[in-house]
Amino acid sequence: MRDNNDLKSKISNKRIYAFFIDWVFGGVLAGLPSMIIYSVLTGESTPLTSMYEFELAGISKEITILVLLICFFVGVFYYLIIPWKIYPGQTVGKKIVGLKIISLNSKCLCIKTYFIRQFIFLILIEGVATPISTYIKVFITTLTRIYVDPYLNLIWNILTIVSIGFMCFGKNNLCLHDYFAKTTVIEKSVELHERGQNKKITKLT
């Protein structure tokens, strides 16, 4: 029989694997528009290493902001729309490692829950938990001409560390975004097993 602590540890490890997969996939997908547009506008084929390179290359502030918004919303599509509409309860990373987001109160996850969990907390509050935070920092800096990177990095790093601490050492392995959205992450196999048990109970009754 599997020990509960062992199960929690494995779930936590899987969440870390899913995090890195999503970081890579989400980062590449969100960054594609900027790389293509930068290459077209400058004629350069060298990899784009920072969104600040747009204005350094002589590209206007307005176009830079437009590209930042495109990249940001592509990232939102990856982290919000995919688990809501394409793979219900799963980002690409969670689908690969066999995890799923579910509601703590057994209700169906709605767009409001995903918005709170994925957008408000994961993207805006925890920040560095997704690669999309880069576009937020550059957008604010480009718009206001105030370099906000070190301040946002500090805030986001602290909140992300706290969130990881809750996930690894908290009683229910809930990150901050899970706690406030009233969600948790389980192994897909557990959900399928529970469905099977529910079907058996239904047949018996």
Side-chain angles (χ1 to χ4, degrees), residues 1-197:
M1 187 173 182
R2 186 180 288 177
D3 183 80
N4 283 337
N5 291 326
D6 183 52
L7 177 62
K8 287 183 180 180
S9 175
K10 287 184 178 179
I11 291 175
S12 295
N13 287 338
K14 282 191 172 185
R15 290 189 72 170
I16 293 169
Y17 301 149
F19 165 80
F20 283 112
I21 293 169
D22 284 328
W23 182 274
V24 173
F25 281 30
V28 169
L29 186 65
L32 272 176
S34 63
M35 289 188 286
I36 294 170
I37 295 170
Y38 183 80
S39 180
V40 169
L41 293 179
T42 64
E44 294 183 13
S45 57
T46 52
L48 182 67
T49 57
S50 170
M51 288 300 298
Y52 290 116
E53 290 182 30
F54 268 73
E55 287 197 275
L56 291 175
I59 299 170
S60 71
K61 174 183 175 181
E62 290 74 22
I63 291 177
T64 301
I65 289 174
L66 178 61
V67 175
L68 285 166
L69 289 173
I70 292 171
C71 292
F72 177 76
F73 284 113
V74 170
V76 170
F77 170 83
Y78 181 88
Y79 280 96
L80 177 61
I81 305 301
I82 287 179
W84 175 42
K85 283 294 185 182
I86 300 177
Y87 301 131
Q90 295 177 299
T91 56
V92 173
K94 285 183 174 60
K95 185 168 182 63
I96 289 172
V97 302
L99 297 179
K100 185 172 184 179
I101 306 163
I102 63 167
S103 172
L104 284 173
N105 54 22
S106 300
K107 291 182 179 178
C108 233
L109 293 178
C110 62
I111 183 59
K112 179 183 176 182
T113 303
Y114 282 116
F115 185 78
I116 293 171
R117 186 188 194 277
Q118 300 293 100
F119 186 76
I120 299 296
F121 276 89
L122 197 64
I123 294 174
L124 296 184
I125 294 179
E126 292 175 41
V128 293
T130 74
I132 306 173
S133 61
T134 296
Y135 305 110
I136 298 173
K137 291 182 293 187
V138 182
F139 176 82
I140 295 173
T141 298
T142 303
L143 195 64
T144 65
R145 298 306 188 194
I146 299 171
Y147 188 60
V148 298
D149 286 37
Y151 309 108
L152 288 180
N153 281 337
L154 177 62
I155 295 168
W156 285 341
N157 279 324
I158 291 171
L159 290 172
T160 299
I161 289 170
V162 170
S163 188
I164 292 172
F166 271 94
M167 181 189 73
C168 294
F169 306 111
K171 182 180 178 181
N172 298 311
N173 298 117
L174 299 180
C175 293
L176 288 180
H177 46 268
D178 283 316
Y179 181 81
F180 284 96
K182 294 181 174 57
T183 58
T184 188
V185 176
I186 63 168
E187 294 192 65
K188 181 71 174 174
S189 57
V190 173
E191 184 201 34
L192 293 174
H193 175 73
E194 288 177 351
R195 283 184 183 178
Q197 292 296 323

